[in-house]
Amino acid sequence: MTIAGNVKAILSELPEGVELVAAAKTRSPEEVLEAIEAGVGIIGENYLQEAEQVYRVIGGKVKWHFIGSLQKNKVGKAVRLFDMIETVDSREIAGEIDRRCAGIGKVMPVLIEINSGRESQKTGLFPEAAIAVIKEISSFPNLKVEGLMTMGPLWGDPEDSRPYFRETKRIFDEIRVLGLPGVEMRYLSMGMTNSYRVAVEEGANIVRIGTKIFGERSR
Ligand SMILES: *Cc1c(COP(=O)(O)O)cnc(C)c1O
């Protein structure tokens, strides 16, 4: 299948209201353009430098989500390029996003990354820490919490991901009913190539797909 064919197949399969983020790490601007022409409206990037290269060719005709691990010294650049940062996992990084956005008059929509597997080597906040951090950062004027993101297990049977997705949805609902001022729980970003169907069943309304669109990555 071509990239365009893959995109069309995924888009026709996703239920109404579920948004597709094309995870574009290691892909060329030409590959990303093909996906956009087939209907992708959101590009997910993990690396700032790579994102800038692709952005130079494609520009603002699509939305850009940052889905990688964000270092504090890169936040200034990231807030200019991206429309959403899906991977906020500390008060410090949220504070830096807020400060940098204030400098350019922008309010950044963010998702809080949850370490739903409670694995120490993984990124994201443990579920119980997430609520405390969200309470703290909800008053930041130049950042808006709009939901949660999680990775889940990277390999294995898609069914292995289900408990992680279910736990993240539970936290999502728990935070939503708190009705925190300034927090709007709209987006739940879960699921990748091997697990997006399970993620959608468990309530995801953003799925981040790379391999199934662009093919296997060589690095
Ligand atoms: C690479 C990546 C994806 C997509 O992974 P695939 O298995 O290629 O679909 C999704 N989310 C994040 C954060 C990624 O880095």
Side-chain angles (χ1 to χ4, degrees), residues 72 75 89-98 133 137 140:
K72 204 172 167 191
V75 170
D89 66 353
S90 72
R91 200 213 149 282
E92 287 64 40
I93 213 79
E96 186 67 7
I97 292 169
D98 184 56
V133 169
I137 71 176
F140 292 3

Side-chain angles (χ1 to χ4, degrees), residues 185-207:
M185 298 302 277
R186 296 171 63 188
Y187 297 111
L188 184 54
S189 175
M190 319 191 283
M192 319 195 299
T193 289
N194 80 330
S195 59
Y196 74 94
R197 291 193 178 103
V198 173
V200 168
E201 284 169 13
E202 294 301 331
N205 58 10
I206 295 179
V207 293

